[in-house]
Amino acid sequence: MISPMQKFRESEVYKSIFRHKYDDTQRNRALQIVDNVFLHLHPVRIPRHATNVGFTWGMGGITFLLFLILTLTGVILMFYYRPTAQYAYEDMKYLMNDVAFGPFVRNMHRWAAHLMVITVMLHMFRVFLTGSYKPPRQFNWVIGVILLVLTFLLSFTGYLLPWDQLSIWAVTVGTNMARATPLLGHDGPFGLELGMKIDNDIRFVLLGGTQVGPPTLLRFYVGHCIFLPLIASIFMVVHFWRIRKDGGISGPDTTKKTF
Amino acid sequence: MTTENNPQTNNPSPQITPTPLPRKAKQDRAPENDPGLWRMGRKSFFSFSAWLAFFGFIGISTIGSLRMMFPRILFEPSKKFKVGLPEEFLIGEVSEKFIDKGVWIIREQGGFYALIAICTHLGCAPRWLPTENKFKCACHGSGYYKNGINFEGPTPRPLERAAIGLADNGELEVDLSLKFKYELGDWVKEDSFYNYVA
Amino acid sequence: MKYFLEIVTKPDNIPIVALLFLVVFYTWFAFKKARKNDSQELPEEAKLDDKIQVWPNLVRVEFLGTLIVFAILAVWSITIDAPLEEPANPTLTPNPSKAPWYFLGLQELLVYFDPWIAGVILPSIIIVGLMAIPYIDINPKGNGYYTFKERKFAILTYYFGFLILWVALIILGTFLRGPGWNFFLPWEYWDPHKVVVLNNVDLSEMIGIPTKNPDNSLNIWATLFGFSFVSGFFGILGAWHYNKFKKTETYKLMGPIRYWTTSLLFWGMAFVVLKIILRLLPPVLGAYPIKYVWVTPWFNI
């Protein structure tokens, strides 16, 4: 008598999805990683210290997880949000008061974003302390720095979207630094000499106007929801790919007795 | 920082330097036929033009996309507006009636000037503190005297003045698009101050 | 104290409180591991060098980590609501107005530097400097394990930059800066009318060279003095260390480009600290705080 489960396991449908058996053998464990598009980011075998949370702190992985959470919750929030000065704030009120699980999803998006900034910093801290940027991983550190900047930019652009007092003034203070950019800002050193005015300098590109207003909201929205996540994803792909190509997670070089 | 080994020897994946394939030596021409700087064959000329076209296209597309970020028309509140008859203001008073438009109207003995309510440090809106007789910015604590000159905090320069003058109907009119900077010596210019003695 | 507690428990500031604890914990934790590694022949990590299979060993850890993160986020999101203040009003600046918390370190630097330095130049140098780290640090030791003894300079510099100039300034900017960006101690009342004398003088004025001529134009001698002060700072300190360092084996391996990049970044960081000290120390000694050390017609530092 074979159980229905066993029968299902031997059916054509099951076999077409899972291309290997689940018996606990070395081969099946390897296939579990190699045959799975999501898991094949990993190598099949890694040194034991790489699974030790005390060594890695898991911060890079948590950062990626938070990015996924933010993508998911962000997409849900987009259903209830219109990026115009007229509606943005009302939509926030609507979301917080009249949408089931609206506050929960928004809170999760907000707190995951804060957490991601922290984990990115701690990940960088750990990578520095274990010297993991040293050859051959120099370039991956550079990509990591770019991802750090992108994380800040993502968080900063998202800050404006609720269109409340907190967001508009944080962004006013933040973008006003751009007006003082040397050469490219109308208030910066040598800006006036190069013909920079309030309506043609670098700050204008960010704001889409001469002050934080409706065009700014739209620009930040598009940047926050499409442009920056896209760029960040590309850099993340390279970041993860380079971990594998640079010899996996860093560890002491035991082939040489230099300690 | 101490170093014992050369980093190159420690590199787990040493660089492989392939031996270059032998190239066909270019024929040298007799010096009198040598075109000098213009030594470029037909094929390399085509190759050069093709690359030029390629990068030209990319470059012009980039410039075009950047240009697209600057719209030709902005829908922003008018920069020019009337603020009322001169008699409506008191001598020595800092009028906050038009703070919504981002400007203070100040009447002194000799006339009027309009200070733009944007902190020259980072663009916050400062407040007028009548008891302390100064403008104070909440963001970083920059302070300005009543005439707009900075005296405390991190701000690098005085507040800016907007153009002020008399409209046809006898009311004062402020134009925020014309700015006067003290440090450039603009405050003696016409329109930076409206002479008025009652 | 009430105001301090209020600001600490503000929903948007919870990450900073968390960051404070996390940074202290991880600094201690990394140091503990480094000391252990430094005291023995082989680093701990080298003993755990055997290869194991990712399924299930690593995937299990990742799954557990995912669950923990979800649990934390779920509890956090249920118990604390993200803030939503009054609708945006471009004419009413809240007092104090603060940037998002992770930029408050930079906002704090705005007190000491003009916006083009604090908001543009310094962040750019930080980013480029961070990117340059792998290329200027040629010490092959300490690659892939915790250590302190083998790379003291690198680790101490990073600690200083990250813990003092980034995290500590964020905490100062968030918790101790109140209305008017005035400094308030934790037990003080956030008085929006607090009057602090912020009359600054330039460094040249402190030694008797007025920055402005009587006709309000710039005094060329003040500009020259500032230039010699700034170039003297970098020149003297740079030359002093170069003379000490040029004979060493490390310098030969680094070469001039790596050395001078490192030197410039390091003394640049020191200069930021110097400028902060010049602003904060004189009032304690009963003198005016320093506004600029170098005034020119185009920019001021």
Side-chain angles (χ1 to χ4, degrees):
Chain A
M1 180 68 196
I2 45 171
S3 70
M5 192 62 205
Q6 208 170 347
K7 203 165 179 190
F8 175 60
R9 284 237 173 112
E10 275 157 21
S11 69
E12 196 186 338
V13 175
Y14 182 90
K15 282 183 181 166
S16 72
I17 302 171
F18 302 100
R19 316 288 315 209
H20 59 87
K21 293 191 171 149
Y22 195 66
D23 313 319
D24 191 8
T25 63
Q26 293 266 330
R27 184 185 144 80
N28 278 341
R29 285 181 175 189
L31 285 172
Q32 189 80 358
I33 300 296
V34 176
D35 273 6
N36 186 316
V37 68
F38 303 108
L39 289 176
H40 93 287
L41 186 70
H42 297 300
V44 170
R45 278 145 50 84
I46 47 168
R48 188 180 292 275
H49 75 258
T51 63
N52 176 2
V53 180
F55 176 73
T56 64
W57 304 357
M59 285 302 165
I62 294 177
T63 305
F64 181 52
L65 173 68
L66 289 169
F67 181 79
L68 296 180
I69 294 176
L70 285 163
T71 311
L72 194 70
T73 51
V75 168
I76 297 171
L77 290 174
M78 282 169 80
F79 285 119
Y80 282 102
Y81 180 81
R82 285 167 290 180
T84 57
Q86 193 184 351
Y87 294 124
Y89 186 76
E90 284 174 28
D91 286 351
M92 296 301 295
K93 280 279 180 209
Y94 180 56
L95 183 84
M96 291 303 274
N97 296 324
D98 301 317
V99 177
F101 295 110
F104 180 73
V105 175
R106 177 175 173 238
N107 293 348
M108 198 167 220
H109 195 75
R110 178 83 159 215
W111 303 139
H114 280 337
L115 206 56
M116 185 169 161
V117 174
I118 295 180
T119 54
V120 163
M121 290 197 239
L122 289 176
H123 175 57
M124 190 180 198
F125 193 41
R126 193 286 290 175
V127 168
F128 188 90
L129 291 180
T130 56
S132 304
Y133 57 82
K134 298 191 174 193
R137 297 184 183 81
Q138 305 102 310
F139 187 61
N140 218 11
W141 168 273
V142 175
I143 293 176
V145 175
I146 294 171
L147 282 169
L148 172 85
V149 176
L150 286 171
T151 308
F152 283 142
L153 286 180
L154 272 165
S155 193
F156 183 63
T157 46
Y159 220 78
L160 182 68
L161 303 186
W163 205 241
D164 63 351
Q165 278 289 70
L166 193 67
S167 36
I168 188 178
W169 286 104
V171 170
T172 301
V173 172
T175 51
N176 264 321
M177 291 181 204
R179 81 163 71 208
T181 312
L183 310 177
L184 296 177
H186 71 275
D187 251 0
F190 308 110
L192 212 59
E193 285 82 348
L194 283 172
M196 288 298 161
K197 289 193 214 74
I198 191 154
D199 57 358
N200 65 1
D201 69 344
I202 186 165
R203 175 171 164 274
F204 187 90
V205 178
L206 293 174
L207 297 187
T210 57
Q211 64 212 25
V212 177
T216 319
L217 186 57
L218 189 57
R219 281 191 187 197
F220 274 44
Y221 175 77
V222 174
H224 183 75
C225 301
I226 308 211
F227 186 68
L228 289 170
L230 208 61
I231 304 280
S233 305
I234 292 169
F235 277 99
M236 261 185 269
V237 168
V238 181
H239 199 58
F240 300 156
W241 176 251
R242 287 300 293 240
I243 299 174
R244 289 287 299 276
K245 292 292 122 182
D246 292 343
I249 191 165
S250 69
D253 187 356
T254 41
T255 56
K256 272 196 291 294
K257 299 287 173 233
T258 50
F259 313 110
Chain B
M1 215 184 293
T2 53
T3 307
E4 280 173 8
N5 323 50
N6 190 317
Q8 248 55 49
T9 59
N10 247 18
N11 197 330
S13 52
Q15 254 182 339
I16 304 159
T17 35
T19 25
L21 290 171
R23 274 200 162 173
K24 216 160 59 174
K26 275 202 179 150
Q27 255 181 345
D28 261 339
R29 292 186 214 189
E32 62 272 19
N33 294 333
D34 193 330
L37 190 64
W38 300 100
R39 192 198 301 216
M40 183 189 267
R42 179 171 51 88
K43 279 185 178 170
S44 54
F45 172 73
F46 283 144
S47 163
F48 176 77
S49 329
W51 282 117
L52 192 72
F54 177 73
F55 285 111
F57 173 73
I58 291 189
I60 289 169
S61 310
T62 313
I63 293 171
S65 323
L66 276 178
R67 178 61 185 85
M68 205 189 151
M69 292 291 111
F70 296 94
R72 289 203 194 93
I73 292 178
L74 281 177
F75 296 98
E76 291 187 342
S78 171
K79 304 266 184 201
K80 209 169 176 178
F81 48 89
K82 298 191 173 69
V83 296
L85 296 167
E87 300 89 63
E88 291 170 17
F89 297 88
L90 301 172
I91 292 176
E93 179 205 31
V94 174
S95 165
E96 297 208 276
K97 257 188 270 178
F98 293 90
I99 199 68
D100 282 356
K101 306 226 178 200
V103 69
W104 289 293
I105 318 289
I106 297 143
R107 182 176 176 188
E108 296 289 2
Q109 281 295 343
F112 288 89
Y113 53 90
L115 283 176
I116 298 174
I118 295 174
C119 180
T120 46
H121 182 230
L122 275 179
C124 296
R127 286 161 191 224
W128 168 244
L129 304 178
T131 49
E132 286 149 44
N133 209 26
K134 68 179 181 186
F135 300 101
K136 183 78 176 169
C137 179
C139 288
H140 299 91
S142 300
Y144 309 85
Y145 293 124
K146 191 172 162 188
N147 57 9
I149 307 273
N150 56 316
F151 70 97
E152 64 173 0
T155 185
R157 56 196 182 84
L159 292 172
E160 289 171 7
R161 279 190 193 175
I164 190 164
L166 215 55
D168 299 335
N169 63 353
E171 285 189 40
L172 285 168
E173 191 173 44
V174 170
D175 185 358
L176 284 174
S177 60
L178 272 175
K179 292 176 180 173
F180 298 92
K181 294 182 180 180
Y182 171 78
E183 69 277 13
L184 299 181
D186 287 348
W187 283 11
V188 294
K189 287 187 185 164
E190 207 182 337
D191 290 343
S192 72
F193 192 86
Y194 175 64
N195 286 312
Y196 179 84
V197 184
Chain C
M1 205 62 180
K2 190 172 135 260
Y3 285 82
F4 183 67
L5 286 178
E6 214 165 81
I7 194 91
V8 166
T9 51
K10 233 168 98 176
D12 256 343
N13 290 339
I14 286 168
I16 316 174
V17 182
L19 180 72
L20 182 62
F21 285 105
L22 283 170
V23 161
V24 171
F25 168 75
Y26 276 117
T27 308
W28 166 81
F29 185 68
F31 219 78
K32 201 182 84 166
K33 283 179 106 61
R35 276 190 52 162
K36 186 156 189 202
N37 279 349
D38 286 343
S39 67
Q40 52 195 17
E41 190 76 2
L42 269 180
E44 286 291 297
E45 291 82 7
K47 295 178 191 161
L48 304 169
D49 199 41
D50 56 320
K51 293 256 181 156
I52 53 173
Q53 285 206 294
V54 165
W55 184 278
N57 296 293
L58 179 64
V59 178
R60 179 178 53 204
V61 175
E62 288 174 345
F63 185 62
L64 274 174
T66 308
L67 291 186
I68 293 169
V69 170
F70 264 102
I72 293 172
L73 272 180
V75 172
W76 191 356
S77 307
I78 290 169
T79 49
I80 298 166
D81 268 348
L84 186 63
E85 299 188 352
E86 302 92 75
N89 181 355
T91 55
L92 185 70
T93 311
N95 189 3
S97 292
K98 294 186 178 184
W101 63 269
Y102 39 82
F103 286 146
L104 283 187
L106 291 174
Q107 200 180 355
E108 178 63 26
L109 283 181
L110 283 167
V111 177
Y112 313 101
F113 292 95
D114 275 4
W116 67 278
I117 304 184
V120 185
I121 299 290
L122 283 179
S124 309
I125 292 179
I126 292 170
I127 293 165
V128 175
L130 281 172
M131 286 180 178
I133 285 176
Y135 302 102
I136 54 182
D137 178 7
I138 55 159
N139 178 1
K141 289 182 173 179
N143 185 346
Y145 55 94
Y146 291 93
T147 178
F148 176 65
K149 205 170 64 183
E150 291 172 6
R151 35 197 296 255
K152 275 186 187 155
F153 172 76
I155 287 184
L156 283 178
T157 313
Y158 194 85
Y159 270 162
F160 185 78
F162 181 60
L163 299 180
I164 309 289
L165 286 185
W166 190 252
V167 177
L169 283 188
I170 285 177
I171 287 162
L172 168 66
T174 316
F175 296 142
L176 304 176
R177 289 291 184 179
W181 206 252
N182 283 322
F183 181 82
F184 291 89
L185 288 166
W187 52 87
E188 277 180 321
Y189 160 67
W190 276 25
D191 178 9
H193 300 291
K194 177 173 174 175
V195 181
V196 179
V197 181
L198 291 173
N199 287 335
N200 300 321
V201 295
D202 298 327
L203 187 65
S204 55
E205 288 172 319
M206 187 161 258
I207 63 156
I209 307 173
T211 310
K212 292 279 164 81
N213 290 325
D215 63 345
N216 215 4
S217 61
L218 196 69
N219 183 356
I220 182 80
W221 293 108
T223 303
L224 288 175
F225 168 78
F227 172 74
S228 47
F229 178 81
V230 174
S231 54
F233 175 84
F234 284 96
I236 291 169
L237 286 169
W240 164 73
H241 188 261
Y242 173 71
N243 270 323
K244 217 171 66 142
F245 199 66
K246 68 181 174 194
K247 300 257 164 53
T248 60
E249 202 57 33
T250 320
Y251 178 75
K252 286 204 191 84
L253 285 172
M254 280 178 92
I257 295 178
R258 281 201 189 91
Y259 173 76
W260 286 110
T261 314
T262 317
S263 174
L264 208 62
L265 289 171
F266 184 83
W267 295 120
M269 193 156 103
F271 186 78
V272 172
V273 179
L274 175 81
K275 186 79 200 290
I276 294 177
I277 293 172
L278 282 177
R279 181 66 62 83
L280 296 182
L281 190 63
V284 180
L285 305 174
Y288 284 120
I290 305 293
K291 187 171 172 74
Y292 297 122
V293 294
W294 183 17
V295 181
T296 78
W298 311 280
F299 59 85
N300 306 314
I301 292 175

mmCIF file of all heavy atoms in Angstrom, chain B residues 45-62:
data_model
loop_
_atom_site.group_PDB
_atom_site.id
_atom_site.type_symbol
_atom_site.label_atom_id
_atom_site.label_comp_id
_atom_site.label_asym_id
_atom_site.label_seq_id
_atom_site.Cartn_x
_atom_site.Cartn_y
_atom_site.Cartn_z
ATOM 1 N N PHE B 45 39.573 55.058 -40.538
ATOM 2 C CA PHE B 45 38.722 56.243 -40.596
ATOM 3 C C PHE B 45 37.258 55.864 -40.411
ATOM 4 O O PHE B 45 36.530 56.480 -39.627
ATOM 5 C CB PHE B 45 38.908 56.959 -41.938
ATOM 6 C CG PHE B 45 37.920 58.075 -42.134
ATOM 7 C CD1 PHE B 45 38.052 59.259 -41.420
ATOM 8 C CD2 PHE B 45 36.843 57.934 -42.993
ATOM 9 C CE1 PHE B 45 37.133 60.281 -41.570
ATOM 10 C CE2 PHE B 45 35.927 58.940 -43.149
ATOM 11 C CZ PHE B 45 36.067 60.123 -42.439
ATOM 12 N N PHE B 46 36.828 54.778 -41.074
ATOM 13 C CA PHE B 46 35.450 54.321 -40.902
ATOM 14 C C PHE B 46 35.196 53.899 -39.462
ATOM 15 O O PHE B 46 34.177 54.213 -38.865
ATOM 16 C CB PHE B 46 35.143 53.166 -41.857
ATOM 17 C CG PHE B 46 34.899 53.623 -43.263
ATOM 18 C CD1 PHE B 46 35.324 52.866 -44.338
ATOM 19 C CD2 PHE B 46 34.250 54.826 -43.503
ATOM 20 C CE1 PHE B 46 35.117 53.291 -45.638
ATOM 21 C CE2 PHE B 46 34.034 55.252 -44.795
ATOM 22 C CZ PHE B 46 34.478 54.484 -45.864
ATOM 23 N N SER B 47 36.149 53.159 -38.923
ATOM 24 C CA SER B 47 36.015 52.702 -37.535
ATOM 25 C C SER B 47 35.890 53.903 -36.601
ATOM 26 O O SER B 47 35.005 53.958 -35.741
ATOM 27 C CB SER B 47 37.231 51.858 -37.173
ATOM 28 O OG SER B 47 37.313 51.736 -35.793
ATOM 29 N N PHE B 48 36.753 54.896 -36.833
ATOM 30 C CA PHE B 48 36.729 56.094 -35.995
ATOM 31 C C PHE B 48 35.381 56.807 -36.116
ATOM 32 O O PHE B 48 34.760 57.170 -35.116
ATOM 33 C CB PHE B 48 37.878 57.012 -36.425
ATOM 34 C CG PHE B 48 37.904 58.319 -35.693
ATOM 35 C CD1 PHE B 48 38.381 58.386 -34.395
ATOM 36 C CD2 PHE B 48 37.432 59.476 -36.287
ATOM 37 C CE1 PHE B 48 38.395 59.580 -33.709
ATOM 38 C CE2 PHE B 48 37.430 60.678 -35.609
ATOM 39 C CZ PHE B 48 37.922 60.727 -34.321
ATOM 40 N N SER B 49 34.891 56.935 -37.359
ATOM 41 C CA SER B 49 33.614 57.641 -37.533
ATOM 42 C C SER B 49 32.482 56.885 -36.858
ATOM 43 O O SER B 49 31.587 57.478 -36.253
ATOM 44 C CB SER B 49 33.263 57.812 -39.003
ATOM 45 O OG SER B 49 34.409 57.923 -39.764
ATOM 46 N N ALA B 50 32.522 55.549 -36.980
ATOM 47 C CA ALA B 50 31.448 54.768 -36.370
ATOM 48 C C ALA B 50 31.435 54.957 -34.866
ATOM 49 O O ALA B 50 30.382 55.165 -34.261
ATOM 50 C CB ALA B 50 31.628 53.299 -36.724
ATOM 51 N N TRP B 51 32.604 54.896 -34.245
ATOM 52 C CA TRP B 51 32.651 55.096 -32.790
ATOM 53 C C TRP B 51 32.237 56.519 -32.419
ATOM 54 O O TRP B 51 31.568 56.732 -31.415
ATOM 55 C CB TRP B 51 34.046 54.804 -32.240
ATOM 56 C CG TRP B 51 34.317 53.347 -32.106
ATOM 57 C CD1 TRP B 51 35.275 52.617 -32.750
ATOM 58 C CD2 TRP B 51 33.616 52.412 -31.279
ATOM 59 N NE1 TRP B 51 35.204 51.293 -32.388
ATOM 60 C CE2 TRP B 51 34.203 51.140 -31.480
ATOM 61 C CE3 TRP B 51 32.539 52.510 -30.398
ATOM 62 C CZ2 TRP B 51 33.756 49.990 -30.830
ATOM 63 C CZ3 TRP B 51 32.101 51.360 -29.752
ATOM 64 C CH2 TRP B 51 32.696 50.125 -29.972
ATOM 65 N N LEU B 52 32.652 57.448 -33.247
ATOM 66 C CA LEU B 52 32.273 58.834 -32.989
ATOM 67 C C LEU B 52 30.751 58.960 -32.999
ATOM 68 O O LEU B 52 30.153 59.582 -32.112
ATOM 69 C CB LEU B 52 32.900 59.749 -34.041
ATOM 70 C CG LEU B 52 32.826 61.243 -33.739
ATOM 71 C CD1 LEU B 52 33.784 61.593 -32.617
ATOM 72 C CD2 LEU B 52 33.137 62.063 -34.978
ATOM 73 N N ALA B 53 30.135 58.326 -34.001
ATOM 74 C CA ALA B 53 28.676 58.379 -34.088
ATOM 75 C C ALA B 53 28.048 57.716 -32.867
ATOM 76 O O ALA B 53 27.092 58.228 -32.277
ATOM 77 C CB ALA B 53 28.210 57.681 -35.363
ATOM 78 N N PHE B 54 28.609 56.577 -32.464
ATOM 79 C CA PHE B 54 28.062 55.836 -31.325
ATOM 80 C C PHE B 54 28.098 56.677 -30.050
ATOM 81 O O PHE B 54 27.078 56.891 -29.392
ATOM 82 C CB PHE B 54 28.870 54.551 -31.145
ATOM 83 C CG PHE B 54 28.458 53.725 -29.966
ATOM 84 C CD1 PHE B 54 27.280 53.008 -29.979
ATOM 85 C CD2 PHE B 54 29.264 53.670 -28.834
ATOM 86 C CE1 PHE B 54 26.907 52.248 -28.897
ATOM 87 C CE2 PHE B 54 28.891 52.920 -27.746
ATOM 88 C CZ PHE B 54 27.711 52.203 -27.774
ATOM 89 N N PHE B 55 29.295 57.199 -29.730
ATOM 90 C CA PHE B 55 29.400 57.970 -28.489
ATOM 91 C C PHE B 55 28.702 59.314 -28.620
ATOM 92 O O PHE B 55 28.179 59.842 -27.645
ATOM 93 C CB PHE B 55 30.873 58.149 -28.100
ATOM 94 C CG PHE B 55 31.464 56.892 -27.541
ATOM 95 C CD1 PHE B 55 32.417 56.179 -28.244
ATOM 96 C CD2 PHE B 55 31.032 56.398 -26.316
ATOM 97 C CE1 PHE B 55 32.946 55.003 -27.735
ATOM 98 C CE2 PHE B 55 31.556 55.225 -25.802
ATOM 99 C CZ PHE B 55 32.506 54.520 -26.518
ATOM 100 N N GLY B 56 28.673 59.822 -29.854
ATOM 101 C CA GLY B 56 27.920 61.057 -30.068
ATOM 102 C C GLY B 56 26.451 60.858 -29.762
ATOM 103 O O GLY B 56 25.819 61.668 -29.077
ATOM 104 N N PHE B 57 25.921 59.742 -30.223
ATOM 105 C CA PHE B 57 24.512 59.445 -29.960
ATOM 106 C C PHE B 57 24.255 59.346 -28.463
ATOM 107 O O PHE B 57 23.325 59.947 -27.925
ATOM 108 C CB PHE B 57 24.123 58.136 -30.654
ATOM 109 C CG PHE B 57 22.750 57.662 -30.304
ATOM 110 C CD1 PHE B 57 21.634 58.305 -30.820
ATOM 111 C CD2 PHE B 57 22.556 56.597 -29.435
ATOM 112 C CE1 PHE B 57 20.368 57.878 -30.492
ATOM 113 C CE2 PHE B 57 21.293 56.174 -29.098
ATOM 114 C CZ PHE B 57 20.196 56.815 -29.633
ATOM 115 N N ILE B 58 25.130 58.579 -27.773
ATOM 116 C CA ILE B 58 24.938 58.410 -26.324
ATOM 117 C C ILE B 58 25.052 59.754 -25.610
ATOM 118 O O ILE B 58 24.237 60.093 -24.745
ATOM 119 C CB ILE B 58 25.969 57.397 -25.775
ATOM 120 C CG1 ILE B 58 25.617 56.021 -26.301
ATOM 121 C CG2 ILE B 58 25.982 57.415 -24.253
ATOM 122 C CD1 ILE B 58 26.384 54.905 -25.695
ATOM 123 N N GLY B 59 26.050 60.529 -26.024
ATOM 124 C CA GLY B 59 26.254 61.823 -25.373
ATOM 125 C C GLY B 59 25.060 62.748 -25.569
ATOM 126 O O GLY B 59 24.557 63.337 -24.610
ATOM 127 N N ILE B 60 24.581 62.828 -26.822
ATOM 128 C CA ILE B 60 23.471 63.734 -27.093
ATOM 129 C C ILE B 60 22.204 63.244 -26.385
ATOM 130 O O ILE B 60 21.428 64.038 -25.854
ATOM 131 C CB ILE B 60 23.258 63.869 -28.616
ATOM 132 C CG1 ILE B 60 24.422 64.666 -29.202
ATOM 133 C CG2 ILE B 60 21.952 64.574 -28.932
ATOM 134 C CD1 ILE B 60 24.486 64.659 -30.694
ATOM 135 N N SER B 61 22.007 61.912 -26.332
ATOM 136 C CA SER B 61 20.837 61.386 -25.613
ATOM 137 C C SER B 61 20.898 61.772 -24.137
ATOM 138 O O SER B 61 19.885 62.126 -23.536
ATOM 139 C CB SER B 61 20.781 59.864 -25.714
ATOM 140 O OG SER B 61 20.923 59.468 -27.040
ATOM 141 N N THR B 62 22.109 61.677 -23.557
ATOM 142 C CA THR B 62 22.246 62.041 -22.144
ATOM 143 C C THR B 62 21.906 63.516 -21.937
ATOM 144 O O THR B 62 21.148 63.863 -21.022
ATOM 145 C CB THR B 62 23.687 61.774 -21.669
ATOM 146 O OG1 THR B 62 24.062 60.483 -22.121
ATOM 147 C CG2 THR B 62 23.794 61.870 -20.182
#
